[in-house]
Amino acid sequence: MPTEAPQVVEVQIRPRRQFRSFLERQYRWAILVCHRRAGKTVACLQDLIIRSQAATRVSPPWRGAYVAPTRDQAKDVAWGMIKRFVGEFPGIKVNEADLMVIFANGATIRLYSGENYDRMRGLYFDHVVMDEYGDLDPQAWQAVIRPALSDYQGTATFIGTPKGRNGFWRQWEEALKDEEWFTLILKSSESGIIDPVELESIRKGTPERVFLQEFECSFSVGRIGAIYSDVLEEARVSKRISETIEWFKELPVYTTWDIGAPLNQRVWIFQLVGDRINFLECLSGDNDCKTPSDWAARLRTKKYSYGGHFIPHDAATEQGSLWQEALSIAGLTHIAVVPRAFSVWDGINLAMDAFPRCWFNASGCKDGLDSLDAYHSKENRDGVTIMDVPVHDWASHSASAFAGAHQAIKAGMVIDRTAIARRPMMPGGIRVSMGFRG
């Protein structure tokens, strides 16, 4: 039977002039760095609606997505606007439960949470907007969204306001060097969007570093509550983050872990060279690397000479003991549990104290460095005390594993275990053990 032609609807929008070049672009990829209240989300939703209405593919239907760091953010920021924009369209269907609108031509726009990005795995997309990209796990783009755009050569837009030199900054820097990207930066002092009198009032009542970040789009200011941003910036200035970090094959290499759900698993690989700590790689879990045997096989392909593998104390009861035993069965040796820390700040403070000794392989540690840049604390009030509490999100997994390395070093666990078997026994056949399994 012949397929009925999709209904054509003429869409008229009145965009802000600052976003006209974005809406008229001919690029596959786009990134917008915009000050607060610039209207970047509105422009991107307009773009999504235009694309959905222009879609002519019927089977499978055109599919668009808007991704925010959390579902609540997606709903609060975008859902009301989408319904208002398309409310008068003929044949429109609104699915409140799934936060999705279905157009008369079969095209859809759906809202997603960056916290649950694996839900998008296996889908196809024609266009995706990622809002506040700096708050999203980079794995969402690299492992899930980018592959989902391949079927129909889909497009994507990254938007946000700077929060330090995190994944959003890195994407911006890469886009500036790539002719396939549309780039737009809107600073409040240049855009003309906010009334000058109002902008001056905001500036007077806002700390300078916050104003520079939120309204002048400065990536050089660490995000509010950023834990490692200052020491990372110092490491960059000192050129301790480099593509030329050497791996000394004659010295042992160590791993430090954060054990959790497969996609949240993180493993740092590091080496001590005198007083210097070289971080060589930061590995992330994915659907091809889930189980202890998967991880053991992955690490063995690295051809390092491992001196020890450190798993966290809080995972050493049920899940940790399973991993400790399973990794040993899978062929890894010298697996040990890092001693319990009094608080999460103990590990952070150890890492901060040791940071001047830390060097990083820029490409191998890319995801880990993005996590350290994004790792931050927030103020917590219980009516009596005020505390800074590290935020548990996608960035905390790499940060926890990073702190674990420094806890292991402090505990004296980072020694050349591969050489112990070659040491002569003491009288009586006694050899000292540090408590490693395997």
Side-chain angles (χ1 to χ4, degrees):
M1 296 179 63
T3 303
E4 183 179 346
Q7 185 176 2
V8 178
V9 177
E10 182 179 343
V11 179
Q12 293 184 348
I13 63 171
R14 293 186 294 274
R16 283 178 169 168
R17 60 175 177 79
Q18 294 85 352
F19 291 99
R20 183 172 292 277
S21 61
F22 163 68
L23 292 169
E24 295 176 348
R25 72 195 185 284
Q26 298 297 316
Y27 297 82
R28 184 177 185 184
W29 316 116
I31 184 166
L32 312 181
V33 180
C34 304
H35 64 80
R36 296 297 175 199
R37 311 312 302 162
K40 57 185 179 295
T41 302
V42 174
C44 287
L45 293 180
Q46 291 173 333
D47 187 47
L48 261 174
I49 293 169
I50 292 171
R51 290 170 181 270
S52 66
Q53 284 301 113
T56 58
R57 193 181 70 239
V58 176
S59 180
W62 190 94
R63 180 183 286 163
Y66 169 90
V67 184
T70 68
R71 191 177 192 275
D72 284 346
Q73 283 178 281
K75 188 173 182 180
D76 291 345
V77 173
W79 185 233
M81 276 194 285
I82 288 179
K83 290 192 293 183
R84 186 169 71 252
F85 290 161
V86 304
E88 300 300 321
F89 284 25
I92 197 75
K93 297 178 182 178
V94 177
N95 185 327
E96 289 283 351
D98 292 334
L99 301 183
M100 178 171 67
V101 293
I102 306 170
F103 295 84
N105 63 358
T108 61
I109 297 175
R110 185 170 180 176
L111 277 54
Y112 290 91
S113 164
E115 289 181 319
N116 193 24
Y117 66 84
D118 202 45
R119 184 175 181 177
M120 293 181 277
R121 189 180 295 275
L123 302 179
Y124 70 88
F125 291 108
D126 292 277
H127 185 68
V128 177
V129 175
M130 286 162 285
D131 203 346
E132 296 299 348
Y133 181 69
D135 289 335
L136 297 178
D137 186 340
Q139 288 291 306
W141 166 248
Q142 298 164 7
V144 177
I145 297 174
R146 179 59 186 90
L149 294 168
S150 296
D151 291 358
Y152 301 102
Q153 289 73 57
T155 55
T157 299
F158 300 70
I159 63 175
T161 301
K163 293 182 180 179
R165 296 193 176 186
N166 55 18
F168 186 48
W169 165 77
R170 191 183 302 279
Q171 193 65 66
W172 171 253
E173 291 291 307
E174 293 175 358
L176 290 175
K177 298 178 288 187
D178 194 330
E179 294 181 353
E180 294 185 1
W181 282 76
F182 173 88
T183 59
L184 176 67
I185 184 167
L186 291 177
K187 302 179 181 180
S188 63
S189 59
E190 301 170 351
S191 71
I193 292 173
I194 300 178
D195 179 82
V197 175
E198 175 66 11
L199 185 61
E200 179 62 18
S201 176
I202 293 172
R203 188 193 65 78
K204 288 181 179 179
T206 306
E208 182 180 8
R209 63 185 302 278
V210 177
F211 185 83
L212 289 174
Q213 175 180 279
E214 302 290 331
F215 290 91
E216 288 301 286
C217 299
S218 173
F219 282 106
S220 63
V221 178
R223 69 177 297 163
I224 298 173
I227 293 172
Y228 289 111
S229 63
D230 288 344
V231 290
L232 278 168
E233 185 62 22
E234 192 277 329
R236 292 187 180 98
V237 172
S238 302
K239 301 188 184 304
R240 301 200 318 275
I241 299 176
S242 167
E243 298 289 354
T244 58
I245 300 301
E246 290 186 68
W247 164 38
F248 291 82
K249 294 184 178 181
E250 65 274 17
L251 296 176
V253 169
Y254 303 87
T255 68
T256 176
W257 301 56
D258 184 69
I259 294 175
L263 293 178
N264 292 333
Q265 185 117 327
R266 299 292 186 269
V267 175
W268 285 88
I269 300 176
F270 68 100
Q271 184 179 55
L272 260 64
V273 182
D275 193 47
R276 173 167 151 175
I277 310 170
N278 283 350
F279 285 90
L280 307 175
E281 297 183 59
C282 183
L283 309 178
S284 299
D286 55 40
N287 272 10
D288 296 323
C289 190
K290 296 180 178 179
T291 67
S293 59
D294 292 338
W295 274 99
R298 184 177 182 181
L299 291 175
R300 286 199 304 272
T301 64
K302 299 290 182 181
K303 306 301 182 183
Y304 294 128
S305 176
Y306 293 108
H309 305 278
F310 307 122
I311 63 175
H313 187 281
D314 60 3
T317 52
E318 297 179 4
Q319 193 176 18
S321 61
L322 171 64
W323 275 80
Q324 192 171 15
E325 181 178 357
L327 288 172
S328 180
I329 293 172
L332 296 187
T333 59
H334 314 316
I335 303 159
V337 175
V338 177
R340 182 189 296 274
F342 180 74
S343 75
V344 65
W345 282 109
D346 284 354
I348 292 172
N349 290 332
L350 283 175
M352 294 285 282
D353 290 342
F355 222 91
R357 301 164 51 199
C358 295
W359 295 64
F360 299 87
N361 178 341
S363 57
C365 297
K366 175 179 175 295
D367 289 348
L369 290 169
D370 285 347
S371 296
L372 294 182
D373 261 315
Y375 191 45
H376 66 287
S377 63
K378 66 179 180 180
E379 190 176 274
N380 184 36
R381 298 170 179 257
D382 61 6
V384 179
T385 57
I386 302 175
M387 299 180 293
D388 280 337
V389 179
V391 174
H392 183 73
D393 60 9
W394 68 269
S396 62
H397 305 296
S398 290
S400 295
F402 181 73
H406 300 286
Q407 291 172 271
I409 292 171
K410 181 185 179 183
M413 302 168 71
V414 182
I415 58 177
D416 187 357
R417 299 296 303 176
T418 62
I420 289 178
R422 298 191 294 274
R423 295 176 184 171
M425 288 188 177
M426 297 177 64
I430 299 174
R431 190 179 277 127
V432 177
S433 171
M434 294 295 292
F436 285 89
R437 292 192 58 181

